[in-house]
Amino acid sequence: MHQKEIKTDMPFLSIKDLKVEYKSDGQIVHAVNDVSLQLERGKTLGLVGETGAGKTTIAKSILRILPDIGSHIANGEIYLEGENLLKLSENDMRKIRGNKVSMIFQDPMTALNPVLRVGDQIAEVVSLHSDNNNRAEHEKRAKEMLEIVGIPAERYYAYPHQFSGGMKQRVVIAIALACNPDLLLADEPTTALDVTIQAQVLDLIAELRNKYNTAMLLITHDMGVVAQVCDTVAVIYAGSIIEYGTKQQIFKHPSHPYTIGLFGAIPDMNEDEEWLHPIDGLPPDPTNLPQGCSFSPRCKFATDACRKEAIGMYKTQDGHDCRCCCIEAVMKGED
Amino acid sequence: MNPVIEVTNLKKYFTTPRGMLHAVDDVTFTIERGRTLGVVGESGCGKSTLGRTIIHLHESTEGQILLNGKDVTNLKGKDLRQAREKMQIIFQDPYSSLDPRKTIDSTIREPLIVSRHFTKSQIDQKTQELMDLVGIDERLRKAYPHELDGGRRQRVGIARALALEPEFIVCDEPVSALDVSIQAQVLNLLKKLQKEKGLTYMFVTHDMSVVRHISDDICVMYLGQVVEKCSSKELFQNPLHPYTRALLSAIPSTDIDKPNKREILRGEITSPVNPKPGCRFAARCPYANEECLKLQKQEEVSPGHFVRCCRLQEISSSYN
Ligand SMILES: Nc1ncnc2c1ncn2[C@@H]1O[C@H](COP(=O)(O)OP(=O)(O)OP(=O)(O)O)[C@@H](O)[C@H]1O
Ligand SMILES: Nc1ncnc2c1ncn2[C@@H]1O[C@H](COP(=O)(O)OP(=O)(O)O)[C@@H](O)[C@H]1O
Ligand code: SF4
Ligand code: SF4
Ligand SMILES: [Mg+2]
Ligand SMILES: [Mg+2]
């Protein structure tokens, strides 16, 4: 029998020094590098960052559903209610998935079965979490869930390929919510949705949070969604958290040059600009991360010191964490 | 006036066990050369189907499609192939839209080979030019799609769409999967290409700040129909259809001190299968009454501003 390791006095979810690698073509992809974060019950942590930054990998590590071949959790601990998930047997882990923890997948087709009717797929999950075997009741509940995510109940009988991208996404959301999880890992749940349905889905999630005290890890690149929904925010770049604080701290005093650049790149709703202001350059090759600060090739504040050794976390003036050794220069805007 | 695309009463229905699904129902619009028509609307309202039908990835059920003034609705064989070269699509999902077994180089090369217009050395040269144009590094030529991040994959999709020098491109949520800094790069790239090559775009997106930025004109769709169409500026300054107003009010504000004051849509959702003749938004519209159960016509309420709502006169006085 294996040993269960339970620690009390810990946040509901606590990730410590997580490091995840993939092997691709004999090269090592450094997808997640020493990520630590905490999340309390009833709270929402926003995880923002570029595609490829490692967000999905973090969520999949929590559920331990990384691909068997070619992926590797090289280091770290993931505590859920004080219990290290990385030490659990596969059997115990199976009880946690879709029960205590459920995930809304970014790509709906990984979660949907192409040959089953969408309604039946929701009813199936409902029945797993129900104390009776009343199929008619489960179907009724599945139809309600469809309506809740804005799909007419009569489309229960459709197959996934007959739905648009956003509609498939809504089915996946309905499935994840049907489980009433304690921890919801939502990977870009509303990216494929229009803003009215998005607002409806976010309301639904908020309702769930109030009712069941659900904790949520929300992966998104929509800063508007973060502003409306999250309590805390972690900005992730090339597999590392580069800025971490409350929503107020991050939105009022963004301090890392990457975060500042992100805010600057959003098209302005009140202004007509011919050209947008992207951050120049592209994210680094994860098989070959630059030495020192991984943002340094794109950073207009970079100095020689930035390119030498790994950059630690510094406290900003308002007390949040920022992985930049030149915060003062950045704040003064000196490049 | 130099329209590249003219769509008249276009319909695309799908047969389902429960009846006819009206994915695109009587859509009419024109896009001038070098301009961008933004298309927004609820997910599932028919935006992708519309784009795919125009460029003949779906057969249309009814209606007419003109490309440069020439009827291309029912083309077949060689004529269709030629017309199709002029109309391309960039997909939302840079993950599933590229063939995982093909290198970047052969992905971009493929349409050039298939077209049979070019010699081997021309193809080499064009492939190189396309990669330079969209900013893909030389070292990624032999890479496979899964080795690239979303931003680079989307560039490959753009390069491939540009290979045969199209005039019209359907951009189906091309930046949805990208974060804002890479999104800004790709949008600037699309705009630059448009200026240089006189490209005409139909641009589908859910991001209202993106559609405002990129579009000259905007169509708002609801369950297969265009409910409002006007210039981008006009739409954001003077939205008239009740659905458009609900849509604009739901844009999540990036200002944390200003929570959204959105109009909540209540009521059941109308099914696109065998829809009744009346206004399709009626079940959720706060202003609906019996009049709304009759067929709704699109009216030009001011020059260039079209709305499909019979009660507009009455209700717009209550807008603030
Ligand atoms: N199965 C795999 N094999 C090899 N590399 C992988 C695999 N899955 C992910 N990666 C790589 O790991 C890094 C992080 O990937 P991940 O999917 O977690 O990023 P992400 O932030 O979720 O991006 P996106 O928003 O595009 O989904 C990327 O460089 C990616 O290419
Ligand atoms: N192959 C198909 N068979 C049946 N119905 C389809 C098919 N493709 C799309 N639909 C239906 O057409 C409508 C519009 O879909 P789509 O154009 O993909 O929406 P959007 O792009 O706006 O999200 C939806 O109701 C969808 O279920
Ligand atoms: S550590 Fe240096 S290179 Fe990195 S973000 Fe700060 S200033 Fe830029
Ligand atoms: S026609 Fe009637 S139901 Fe439709 S949008 Fe206008 S007021 Fe609302
Ligand atoms: Mg992801
Ligand atoms: Mg679509």
Side-chain angles (χ1 to χ4, degrees), chain A residues 50-51 154-155 170 191-192 194 203 221 228 252 262 268-269 271-274 276 279 281, chain B residues 21 42-44 150 176-179 181 185 188 191 195 206 212-213 233 253 257 262 271:
Chain A
E50 270 160 346
T51 73
E154 69 165 69
R155 306 208 61 194
R170 288 188 254 167
T191 303
D194 60 282
D203 278 359
H221 51 249
Q228 301 300 317
K252 297 277 182 194
L262 271 190
D268 192 327
M269 270 303 212
E271 210 125 343
D272 292 318
E273 293 163 311
E274 168 96 42
L276 298 171
I279 303 175
Chain B
L21 190 151
E42 200 159 77
S43 81
S176 300
L178 310 177
D179 86 295
S181 74
Q185 290 181 358
N188 281 351
K191 218 165 180 178
K195 282 190 189 297
H206 288 305
R212 181 181 172 281
H213 173 80
K233 222 188 179 101
S253 153
D257 296 327
R262 66 191 173 80
S271 168

mmCIF file of all heavy atoms in Angstrom, chain A residues 50-51 154-155 170 191-192 194 203 221 228 252 262 268-269 271-274 276 279 281, chain B residues 21 42-44 150 176-179 181 185 188 191 195 206 212-213 233 253 257 262 271:
data_model
loop_
_atom_site.group_PDB
_atom_site.id
_atom_site.type_symbol
_atom_site.label_atom_id
_atom_site.label_comp_id
_atom_site.label_asym_id
_atom_site.label_seq_id
_atom_site.Cartn_x
_atom_site.Cartn_y
_atom_site.Cartn_z
ATOM 1 N N GLU A 50 0.682 33.898 -23.221
ATOM 2 C CA GLU A 50 0.656 33.578 -24.635
ATOM 3 C C GLU A 50 0.337 32.112 -24.911
ATOM 4 O O GLU A 50 0.502 31.268 -24.031
ATOM 5 C CB GLU A 50 2.044 33.882 -25.238
ATOM 6 C CG GLU A 50 2.126 35.277 -25.742
ATOM 7 C CD GLU A 50 3.560 35.769 -25.901
ATOM 8 O OE1 GLU A 50 4.490 35.146 -25.383
ATOM 9 O OE2 GLU A 50 3.722 36.785 -26.553
ATOM 10 N N THR A 51 -0.048 31.816 -26.151
ATOM 11 C CA THR A 51 -0.200 30.411 -26.493
ATOM 12 C C THR A 51 1.176 29.769 -26.365
ATOM 13 O O THR A 51 2.185 30.377 -26.695
ATOM 14 C CB THR A 51 -0.709 30.175 -27.929
ATOM 15 O OG1 THR A 51 0.341 30.469 -28.820
ATOM 16 C CG2 THR A 51 -1.904 30.992 -28.243
ATOM 17 N N GLU A 154 -34.125 20.716 -27.818
ATOM 18 C CA GLU A 154 -34.405 19.751 -28.882
ATOM 19 C C GLU A 154 -33.144 19.368 -29.668
ATOM 20 O O GLU A 154 -33.155 18.435 -30.455
ATOM 21 C CB GLU A 154 -35.473 20.279 -29.823
ATOM 22 C CG GLU A 154 -35.002 21.441 -30.660
ATOM 23 C CD GLU A 154 -35.953 21.711 -31.828
ATOM 24 O OE1 GLU A 154 -37.071 22.147 -31.558
ATOM 25 O OE2 GLU A 154 -35.562 21.472 -32.970
ATOM 26 N N ARG A 155 -32.040 20.076 -29.423
ATOM 27 C CA ARG A 155 -30.810 19.701 -30.125
ATOM 28 C C ARG A 155 -30.014 18.655 -29.342
ATOM 29 O O ARG A 155 -28.879 18.327 -29.690
ATOM 30 C CB ARG A 155 -29.997 20.949 -30.451
ATOM 31 C CG ARG A 155 -30.883 21.934 -31.223
ATOM 32 C CD ARG A 155 -30.139 22.823 -32.131
ATOM 33 N NE ARG A 155 -29.422 22.096 -33.155
ATOM 34 C CZ ARG A 155 -28.493 22.652 -33.905
ATOM 35 N NH1 ARG A 155 -28.181 23.915 -33.728
ATOM 36 N NH2 ARG A 155 -27.877 21.951 -34.824
ATOM 37 N N ARG A 170 -19.830 24.782 -25.462
ATOM 38 C CA ARG A 170 -20.874 24.919 -24.450
ATOM 39 C C ARG A 170 -21.298 23.561 -23.902
ATOM 40 O O ARG A 170 -21.658 23.445 -22.735
ATOM 41 C CB ARG A 170 -22.077 25.663 -25.029
ATOM 42 C CG ARG A 170 -21.760 27.133 -25.237
ATOM 43 C CD ARG A 170 -22.997 27.889 -25.608
ATOM 44 N NE ARG A 170 -23.034 28.246 -27.011
ATOM 45 C CZ ARG A 170 -24.120 28.692 -27.631
ATOM 46 N NH1 ARG A 170 -25.253 28.805 -26.968
ATOM 47 N NH2 ARG A 170 -24.079 29.026 -28.890
ATOM 48 N N THR A 191 -13.490 31.315 -24.895
ATOM 49 C CA THR A 191 -12.818 31.928 -26.035
ATOM 50 C C THR A 191 -13.610 31.761 -27.325
ATOM 51 O O THR A 191 -13.641 32.642 -28.170
ATOM 52 C CB THR A 191 -11.411 31.327 -26.193
ATOM 53 O OG1 THR A 191 -10.728 31.534 -24.973
ATOM 54 C CG2 THR A 191 -10.638 31.984 -27.303
ATOM 55 N N ALA A 192 -14.269 30.623 -27.475
ATOM 56 C CA ALA A 192 -14.998 30.373 -28.721
ATOM 57 C C ALA A 192 -16.422 30.919 -28.670
ATOM 58 O O ALA A 192 -17.198 30.697 -29.583
ATOM 59 C CB ALA A 192 -15.022 28.873 -29.018
ATOM 60 N N ASP A 194 -19.490 33.956 -28.125
ATOM 61 C CA ASP A 194 -19.760 35.379 -28.253
ATOM 62 C C ASP A 194 -19.965 35.963 -26.857
ATOM 63 O O ASP A 194 -20.197 35.237 -25.902
ATOM 64 C CB ASP A 194 -21.018 35.590 -29.091
ATOM 65 C CG ASP A 194 -22.202 34.926 -28.444
ATOM 66 O OD1 ASP A 194 -22.322 33.704 -28.560
ATOM 67 O OD2 ASP A 194 -22.970 35.635 -27.771
ATOM 68 N N ASP A 203 -21.728 33.940 -15.539
ATOM 69 C CA ASP A 203 -22.720 34.051 -14.465
ATOM 70 C C ASP A 203 -22.981 32.693 -13.828
ATOM 71 O O ASP A 203 -23.086 32.561 -12.615
ATOM 72 C CB ASP A 203 -24.057 34.568 -15.014
ATOM 73 C CG ASP A 203 -24.052 36.074 -15.160
ATOM 74 O OD1 ASP A 203 -23.021 36.687 -14.823
ATOM 75 O OD2 ASP A 203 -25.067 36.632 -15.612
ATOM 76 N N HIS A 221 -7.044 34.435 -22.258
ATOM 77 C CA HIS A 221 -6.214 35.576 -22.613
ATOM 78 C C HIS A 221 -7.074 36.819 -22.782
ATOM 79 O O HIS A 221 -6.612 37.830 -23.279
ATOM 80 C CB HIS A 221 -5.349 35.287 -23.837
ATOM 81 C CG HIS A 221 -6.121 34.746 -24.992
ATOM 82 N ND1 HIS A 221 -5.976 33.443 -25.416
ATOM 83 C CD2 HIS A 221 -7.028 35.299 -25.771
ATOM 84 C CE1 HIS A 221 -6.783 33.245 -26.426
ATOM 85 N NE2 HIS A 221 -7.435 34.341 -26.670
ATOM 86 N N GLN A 228 -13.427 40.891 -14.912
ATOM 87 C CA GLN A 228 -14.776 40.692 -14.396
ATOM 88 C C GLN A 228 -14.881 39.523 -13.417
ATOM 89 O O GLN A 228 -15.782 39.494 -12.610
ATOM 90 C CB GLN A 228 -15.764 40.470 -15.553
ATOM 91 C CG GLN A 228 -15.844 41.615 -16.554
ATOM 92 C CD GLN A 228 -16.271 42.931 -15.920
ATOM 93 O OE1 GLN A 228 -17.182 42.974 -15.106
ATOM 94 N NE2 GLN A 228 -15.577 44.010 -16.278
ATOM 95 N N LYS A 252 -4.003 47.606 -11.687
ATOM 96 C CA LYS A 252 -3.671 48.997 -11.357
ATOM 97 C C LYS A 252 -2.174 49.259 -11.498
ATOM 98 O O LYS A 252 -1.772 50.347 -11.871
ATOM 99 C CB LYS A 252 -4.082 49.309 -9.911
ATOM 100 C CG LYS A 252 -5.562 49.210 -9.652
ATOM 101 C CD LYS A 252 -6.263 50.487 -10.047
ATOM 102 C CE LYS A 252 -7.727 50.334 -9.708
ATOM 103 N NZ LYS A 252 -8.639 51.251 -10.249
ATOM 104 N N LEU A 262 1.229 43.526 -22.611
ATOM 105 C CA LEU A 262 -0.071 42.889 -22.857
ATOM 106 C C LEU A 262 -1.197 43.913 -22.802
ATOM 107 O O LEU A 262 -2.042 43.975 -23.689
ATOM 108 C CB LEU A 262 -0.363 41.835 -21.778
ATOM 109 C CG LEU A 262 0.098 40.411 -21.966
ATOM 110 C CD1 LEU A 262 -0.518 39.534 -20.886
ATOM 111 C CD2 LEU A 262 -0.274 39.885 -23.332
ATOM 112 N N ASP A 268 -8.069 49.491 -28.439
ATOM 113 C CA ASP A 268 -8.785 50.431 -27.588
ATOM 114 C C ASP A 268 -10.207 50.629 -28.105
ATOM 115 O O ASP A 268 -10.424 50.952 -29.259
ATOM 116 C CB ASP A 268 -8.025 51.767 -27.596
ATOM 117 C CG ASP A 268 -8.529 52.697 -26.521
ATOM 118 O OD1 ASP A 268 -9.743 52.655 -26.220
ATOM 119 O OD2 ASP A 268 -7.714 53.463 -25.977
ATOM 120 N N MET A 269 -11.184 50.450 -27.223
ATOM 121 C CA MET A 269 -12.587 50.577 -27.610
ATOM 122 C C MET A 269 -12.984 52.028 -27.865
ATOM 123 O O MET A 269 -14.008 52.304 -28.466
ATOM 124 C CB MET A 269 -13.478 50.019 -26.495
ATOM 125 C CG MET A 269 -13.768 48.557 -26.654
ATOM 126 S SD MET A 269 -14.540 48.266 -28.244
ATOM 127 C CE MET A 269 -15.578 46.925 -27.867
ATOM 128 N N GLU A 271 -10.901 54.482 -29.115
ATOM 129 C CA GLU A 271 -9.992 55.231 -29.960
ATOM 130 C C GLU A 271 -9.872 54.547 -31.319
ATOM 131 O O GLU A 271 -9.992 53.338 -31.414
ATOM 132 C CB GLU A 271 -8.615 55.259 -29.292
ATOM 133 C CG GLU A 271 -7.880 56.474 -29.638
ATOM 134 C CD GLU A 271 -7.407 57.250 -28.413
ATOM 135 O OE1 GLU A 271 -7.897 57.052 -27.276
ATOM 136 O OE2 GLU A 271 -6.538 58.041 -28.640
ATOM 137 N N ASP A 272 -9.677 55.333 -32.364
ATOM 138 C CA ASP A 272 -9.469 54.738 -33.683
ATOM 139 C C ASP A 272 -7.999 54.788 -34.015
ATOM 140 O O ASP A 272 -7.450 55.857 -34.268
ATOM 141 C CB ASP A 272 -10.247 55.511 -34.744
ATOM 142 C CG ASP A 272 -11.733 55.338 -34.546
ATOM 143 O OD1 ASP A 272 -12.148 54.199 -34.269
ATOM 144 O OD2 ASP A 272 -12.459 56.338 -34.661
ATOM 145 N N GLU A 273 -7.367 53.640 -33.989
ATOM 146 C CA GLU A 273 -5.956 53.610 -34.310
ATOM 147 C C GLU A 273 -5.770 52.779 -35.550
ATOM 148 O O GLU A 273 -6.369 51.724 -35.693
ATOM 149 C CB GLU A 273 -5.156 52.970 -33.185
ATOM 150 C CG GLU A 273 -5.147 53.760 -31.920
ATOM 151 C CD GLU A 273 -4.699 52.896 -30.756
ATOM 152 O OE1 GLU A 273 -5.229 51.777 -30.600
ATOM 153 O OE2 GLU A 273 -3.796 53.322 -30.038
ATOM 154 N N GLU A 274 -4.897 53.247 -36.418
ATOM 155 C CA GLU A 274 -4.616 52.499 -37.632
ATOM 156 C C GLU A 274 -3.893 51.194 -37.273
ATOM 157 O O GLU A 274 -4.264 50.128 -37.722
ATOM 158 C CB GLU A 274 -3.738 53.377 -38.536
ATOM 159 C CG GLU A 274 -3.127 52.649 -39.687
ATOM 160 C CD GLU A 274 -3.957 52.813 -40.945
ATOM 161 O OE1 GLU A 274 -4.414 53.925 -41.186
ATOM 162 O OE2 GLU A 274 -4.126 51.818 -41.658
ATOM 163 N N LEU A 276 -2.121 48.543 -34.265
ATOM 164 C CA LEU A 276 -2.091 48.138 -32.865
ATOM 165 C C LEU A 276 -0.649 48.129 -32.369
ATOM 166 O O LEU A 276 0.287 48.271 -33.147
ATOM 167 C CB LEU A 276 -2.718 46.749 -32.722
ATOM 168 C CG LEU A 276 -4.190 46.666 -33.134
ATOM 169 C CD1 LEU A 276 -4.652 45.222 -33.164
ATOM 170 C CD2 LEU A 276 -5.048 47.477 -32.171
ATOM 171 N N ILE A 279 3.680 43.433 -28.732
ATOM 172 C CA ILE A 279 5.028 43.320 -28.193
ATOM 173 C C ILE A 279 5.860 42.754 -29.335
ATOM 174 O O ILE A 279 5.477 41.737 -29.918
ATOM 175 C CB ILE A 279 5.061 42.356 -26.998
ATOM 176 C CG1 ILE A 279 4.078 42.814 -25.914
ATOM 177 C CG2 ILE A 279 6.482 42.252 -26.439
ATOM 178 C CD1 ILE A 279 3.960 41.850 -24.746
ATOM 179 N N GLY A 281 8.608 40.788 -31.569
ATOM 180 C CA GLY A 281 9.232 39.487 -31.383
ATOM 181 C C GLY A 281 8.207 38.428 -31.039
ATOM 182 O O GLY A 281 7.027 38.697 -30.895
ATOM 183 N N LEU B 21 -32.503 22.668 -40.994
ATOM 184 C CA LEU B 21 -31.817 23.597 -40.107
ATOM 185 C C LEU B 21 -31.367 24.798 -40.941
ATOM 186 O O LEU B 21 -30.557 24.657 -41.851
ATOM 187 C CB LEU B 21 -30.631 22.882 -39.468
ATOM 188 C CG LEU B 21 -29.931 23.614 -38.340
ATOM 189 C CD1 LEU B 21 -29.312 22.627 -37.375
ATOM 190 C CD2 LEU B 21 -28.885 24.572 -38.859
ATOM 191 N N GLU B 42 -24.031 35.411 -32.171
ATOM 192 C CA GLU B 42 -23.971 34.331 -31.205
ATOM 193 C C GLU B 42 -23.265 33.108 -31.786
ATOM 194 O O GLU B 42 -23.389 32.843 -32.979
ATOM 195 C CB GLU B 42 -25.407 33.964 -30.832
ATOM 196 C CG GLU B 42 -25.522 33.223 -29.553
ATOM 197 C CD GLU B 42 -26.937 33.354 -29.002
ATOM 198 O OE1 GLU B 42 -27.837 32.684 -29.510
ATOM 199 O OE2 GLU B 42 -27.118 34.143 -28.073
ATOM 200 N N SER B 43 -22.587 32.348 -30.954
ATOM 201 C CA SER B 43 -21.935 31.160 -31.497
ATOM 202 C C SER B 43 -23.019 30.207 -31.979
ATOM 203 O O SER B 43 -24.030 30.005 -31.310
ATOM 204 C CB SER B 43 -21.008 30.518 -30.467
ATOM 205 O OG SER B 43 -21.717 29.728 -29.568
ATOM 206 N N GLY B 44 -22.822 29.699 -33.184
ATOM 207 C CA GLY B 44 -23.835 28.842 -33.788
ATOM 208 C C GLY B 44 -24.821 29.593 -34.673
ATOM 209 O O GLY B 44 -25.725 29.000 -35.236
ATOM 210 N N GLY B 150 0.847 28.783 -31.185
ATOM 211 C CA GLY B 150 -0.345 29.233 -31.902
ATOM 212 C C GLY B 150 -0.095 30.394 -32.861
ATOM 213 O O GLY B 150 -0.614 30.408 -33.970
ATOM 214 N N SER B 176 -8.581 34.260 -32.475
ATOM 215 C CA SER B 176 -9.232 33.877 -31.218
ATOM 216 C C SER B 176 -8.340 33.072 -30.304
ATOM 217 O O SER B 176 -8.458 33.137 -29.092
ATOM 218 C CB SER B 176 -10.485 33.048 -31.498
ATOM 219 O OG SER B 176 -11.371 33.793 -32.267
ATOM 220 N N ALA B 177 -7.449 32.266 -30.886
ATOM 221 C CA ALA B 177 -6.643 31.384 -30.052
ATOM 222 C C ALA B 177 -5.374 32.081 -29.558
ATOM 223 O O ALA B 177 -4.572 31.476 -28.866
ATOM 224 C CB ALA B 177 -6.276 30.121 -30.834
ATOM 225 N N LEU B 178 -5.206 33.342 -29.916
ATOM 226 C CA LEU B 178 -3.934 34.005 -29.615
ATOM 227 C C LEU B 178 -4.080 35.009 -28.480
ATOM 228 O O LEU B 178 -5.134 35.603 -28.309
ATOM 229 C CB LEU B 178 -3.450 34.735 -30.874
ATOM 230 C CG LEU B 178 -3.451 33.903 -32.146
ATOM 231 C CD1 LEU B 178 -3.032 34.763 -33.337
ATOM 232 C CD2 LEU B 178 -2.526 32.705 -32.007
ATOM 233 N N ASP B 179 -3.015 35.217 -27.743
ATOM 234 C CA ASP B 179 -3.099 36.228 -26.686
ATOM 235 C C ASP B 179 -2.961 37.609 -27.326
ATOM 236 O O ASP B 179 -2.581 37.742 -28.488
ATOM 237 C CB ASP B 179 -2.029 35.983 -25.621
ATOM 238 C CG ASP B 179 -0.732 36.634 -26.003
ATOM 239 O OD1 ASP B 179 -0.152 36.206 -27.010
ATOM 240 O OD2 ASP B 179 -0.313 37.587 -25.338
ATOM 241 N N SER B 181 -0.970 40.144 -27.333
ATOM 242 C CA SER B 181 0.227 40.722 -27.953
ATOM 243 C C SER B 181 0.496 40.090 -29.314
ATOM 244 O O SER B 181 0.887 40.760 -30.263
ATOM 245 C CB SER B 181 1.443 40.574 -27.034
ATOM 246 O OG SER B 181 1.893 39.248 -27.017
ATOM 247 N N GLN B 185 0.000 41.522 -33.416
ATOM 248 C CA GLN B 185 0.931 41.295 -34.533
ATOM 249 C C GLN B 185 0.191 40.767 -35.753
ATOM 250 O O GLN B 185 0.406 41.235 -36.876
ATOM 251 C CB GLN B 185 2.001 40.258 -34.157
ATOM 252 C CG GLN B 185 3.014 40.718 -33.142
ATOM 253 C CD GLN B 185 4.050 39.624 -32.854
ATOM 254 O OE1 GLN B 185 3.966 38.519 -33.392
ATOM 255 N NE2 GLN B 185 5.015 39.928 -32.020
ATOM 256 N N ASN B 188 -2.097 43.379 -37.349
ATOM 257 C CA ASN B 188 -1.309 44.346 -38.117
ATOM 258 C C ASN B 188 -0.843 43.726 -39.434
ATOM 259 O O ASN B 188 -0.846 44.384 -40.475
ATOM 260 C CB ASN B 188 -0.103 44.826 -37.303
ATOM 261 C CG ASN B 188 -0.481 45.880 -36.265
ATOM 262 O OD1 ASN B 188 -1.613 46.375 -36.255
ATOM 263 N ND2 ASN B 188 0.448 46.226 -35.387
ATOM 264 N N LYS B 191 -3.677 43.576 -41.903
ATOM 265 C CA LYS B 191 -3.978 44.918 -42.399
ATOM 266 C C LYS B 191 -2.929 45.385 -43.409
ATOM 267 O O LYS B 191 -3.256 45.970 -44.437
ATOM 268 C CB LYS B 191 -4.034 45.892 -41.215
ATOM 269 C CG LYS B 191 -5.115 46.920 -41.374
ATOM 270 C CD LYS B 191 -5.393 47.623 -40.072
ATOM 271 C CE LYS B 191 -6.499 48.639 -40.289
ATOM 272 N NZ LYS B 191 -6.860 49.331 -39.061
ATOM 273 N N LYS B 195 -3.480 46.314 -47.400
ATOM 274 C CA LYS B 195 -3.067 47.556 -48.053
ATOM 275 C C LYS B 195 -2.195 47.274 -49.264
ATOM 276 O O LYS B 195 -2.356 47.875 -50.319
ATOM 277 C CB LYS B 195 -2.280 48.432 -47.072
ATOM 278 C CG LYS B 195 -3.159 49.175 -46.095
ATOM 279 C CD LYS B 195 -2.317 50.200 -45.337
ATOM 280 C CE LYS B 195 -3.072 50.825 -44.190
ATOM 281 N NZ LYS B 195 -4.249 51.597 -44.606
ATOM 282 N N HIS B 206 -15.422 36.966 -32.250
ATOM 283 C CA HIS B 206 -16.281 37.226 -31.093
ATOM 284 C C HIS B 206 -15.773 38.401 -30.291
ATOM 285 O O HIS B 206 -16.403 38.825 -29.337
ATOM 286 C CB HIS B 206 -16.309 35.999 -30.168
ATOM 287 C CG HIS B 206 -17.082 34.870 -30.740
ATOM 288 N ND1 HIS B 206 -18.377 35.020 -31.153
ATOM 289 C CD2 HIS B 206 -16.756 33.597 -30.993
ATOM 290 C CE1 HIS B 206 -18.811 33.874 -31.626
ATOM 291 N NE2 HIS B 206 -17.840 32.991 -31.544
ATOM 292 N N ARG B 212 -14.208 45.955 -34.075
ATOM 293 C CA ARG B 212 -14.282 47.410 -34.208
ATOM 294 C C ARG B 212 -13.022 47.942 -34.885
ATOM 295 O O ARG B 212 -13.074 48.806 -35.748
ATOM 296 C CB ARG B 212 -14.437 48.041 -32.817
ATOM 297 C CG ARG B 212 -14.550 49.538 -32.807
ATOM 298 C CD ARG B 212 -14.677 50.058 -31.390
ATOM 299 N NE ARG B 212 -14.607 51.504 -31.355
ATOM 300 C CZ ARG B 212 -13.474 52.193 -31.432
ATOM 301 N NH1 ARG B 212 -12.324 51.563 -31.554
ATOM 302 N NH2 ARG B 212 -13.488 53.513 -31.408
ATOM 303 N N HIS B 213 -11.872 47.377 -34.485
ATOM 304 C CA HIS B 213 -10.607 47.840 -35.026
ATOM 305 C C HIS B 213 -10.425 47.479 -36.508
ATOM 306 O O HIS B 213 -9.955 48.283 -37.299
ATOM 307 C CB HIS B 213 -9.458 47.235 -34.210
ATOM 308 C CG HIS B 213 -8.105 47.524 -34.783
ATOM 309 N ND1 HIS B 213 -7.468 48.726 -34.581
ATOM 310 C CD2 HIS B 213 -7.290 46.796 -35.573
ATOM 311 C CE1 HIS B 213 -6.318 48.715 -35.211
ATOM 312 N NE2 HIS B 213 -6.183 47.556 -35.823
ATOM 313 N N LYS B 233 -18.096 52.258 -37.298
ATOM 314 C CA LYS B 233 -18.256 53.418 -36.424
ATOM 315 C C LYS B 233 -19.705 53.569 -35.977
ATOM 316 O O LYS B 233 -20.003 53.711 -34.794
ATOM 317 C CB LYS B 233 -17.836 54.662 -37.214
ATOM 318 C CG LYS B 233 -17.016 55.622 -36.403
ATOM 319 C CD LYS B 233 -16.778 56.915 -37.142
ATOM 320 C CE LYS B 233 -15.980 57.819 -36.231
ATOM 321 N NZ LYS B 233 -14.577 57.840 -36.562
ATOM 322 N N SER B 253 -15.666 44.610 -19.613
ATOM 323 C CA SER B 253 -14.817 45.781 -19.520
ATOM 324 C C SER B 253 -13.485 45.416 -18.877
ATOM 325 O O SER B 253 -13.442 44.645 -17.928
ATOM 326 C CB SER B 253 -15.551 46.831 -18.688
ATOM 327 O OG SER B 253 -14.620 47.684 -18.066
ATOM 328 N N ASP B 257 -12.791 48.771 -12.108
ATOM 329 C CA ASP B 257 -13.687 49.584 -11.287
ATOM 330 C C ASP B 257 -15.056 49.752 -11.920
ATOM 331 O O ASP B 257 -15.960 50.309 -11.325
ATOM 332 C CB ASP B 257 -13.074 50.973 -11.054
ATOM 333 C CG ASP B 257 -11.779 50.864 -10.265
ATOM 334 O OD1 ASP B 257 -11.701 49.954 -9.423
ATOM 335 O OD2 ASP B 257 -10.868 51.663 -10.506
ATOM 336 N N ARG B 262 -24.690 44.985 -18.115
ATOM 337 C CA ARG B 262 -25.204 44.405 -19.341
ATOM 338 C C ARG B 262 -26.689 44.131 -19.253
ATOM 339 O O ARG B 262 -27.244 43.929 -18.189
ATOM 340 C CB ARG B 262 -24.447 43.142 -19.687
ATOM 341 C CG ARG B 262 -24.649 42.047 -18.729
ATOM 342 C CD ARG B 262 -23.646 40.957 -19.030
ATOM 343 N NE ARG B 262 -23.713 39.968 -18.007
ATOM 344 C CZ ARG B 262 -24.635 39.030 -17.977
ATOM 345 N NH1 ARG B 262 -25.538 38.971 -18.924
ATOM 346 N NH2 ARG B 262 -24.664 38.168 -17.008
ATOM 347 N N SER B 271 -34.960 27.622 -31.840
ATOM 348 C CA SER B 271 -34.182 26.637 -32.568
ATOM 349 C C SER B 271 -34.079 27.022 -34.041
ATOM 350 O O SER B 271 -35.036 27.527 -34.623
ATOM 351 C CB SER B 271 -34.840 25.264 -32.450
ATOM 352 O OG SER B 271 -34.240 24.393 -33.371
#
